[in-house]
Amino acid sequence: MKLVIGCDHGAVELKDSVKEVIAKEFPDIEVNDVGTFGTASVDYPDIAEKVCAEITSGAAEKGIVLCGTGLGISIACNKVKGIRAALCNDVFSAKMSREHNDANILGLGGRVLGFGPAGEIVKAWLSTPFSGDERHQRRIDKMMALENK
Ligand code: RB5
């Protein structure tokens, strides 16, 4: 599986920690890091656009986005057609965002989460499949139809 990851300056350290967790726990996942890589201030919508482009083009199946709170970058991702970004700062939400919402992007807050909890959230999110349940698929279809209204 190919995964794209990106963050603003508020979450570079958490992004690096998340990449270490993925490398250790999911060695088959190929990670494409689209930045940012330093402490210089960047605008999270620019990173969101890069991450989403990798997914909508088919280059990556899933993504992880991080900013200070995880809010701005998740909201920005959800402006892009085909994206279902879920900001999850707990394990239960991470599991549900996959099982019920088939989220294709996970959002995390670099100034909200410690490395340990973030790692557990990422592990839960990456190892939980979409349930495939008809009622959840129906709701997802309705949700995605809102893009065209
Ligand atoms: C940047 O200072 C900060 O606004 C950003 O990382 C994020 O928290 C926005 O939602």
Side-chain angles (χ1 to χ4, degrees), residues 8-11 41-42 44 66-75 109-111:
D8 77 356
H9 53 283
S41 180
V42 295
Y44 57 78
L66 312 89
C67 66
T69 57
L71 286 165
I73 200 160
S74 298
I75 293 169
R111 295 173 183 149

Side-chain angles (χ1 to χ4, degrees), residues 46-102:
D46 297 333
I47 305 296
E49 189 175 2
K50 284 186 188 181
V51 168
C52 292
E54 291 295 301
I55 293 176
T56 56
S57 71
E61 187 184 321
K62 291 194 177 81
I64 298 178
V65 293
L66 312 89
C67 66
T69 57
L71 286 165
I73 200 160
S74 298
I75 293 169
C77 288
N78 280 317
K79 299 292 180 189
V80 178
K81 279 191 175 188
I83 296 299
R84 291 180 299 282
L87 171 61
C88 299
N89 287 322
D90 65 89
V91 168
F92 179 71
S93 299
K95 283 184 183 166
M96 290 301 103
S97 79
R98 291 288 311 126
E99 257 181 58
H100 289 194
N101 314 117
D102 197 16

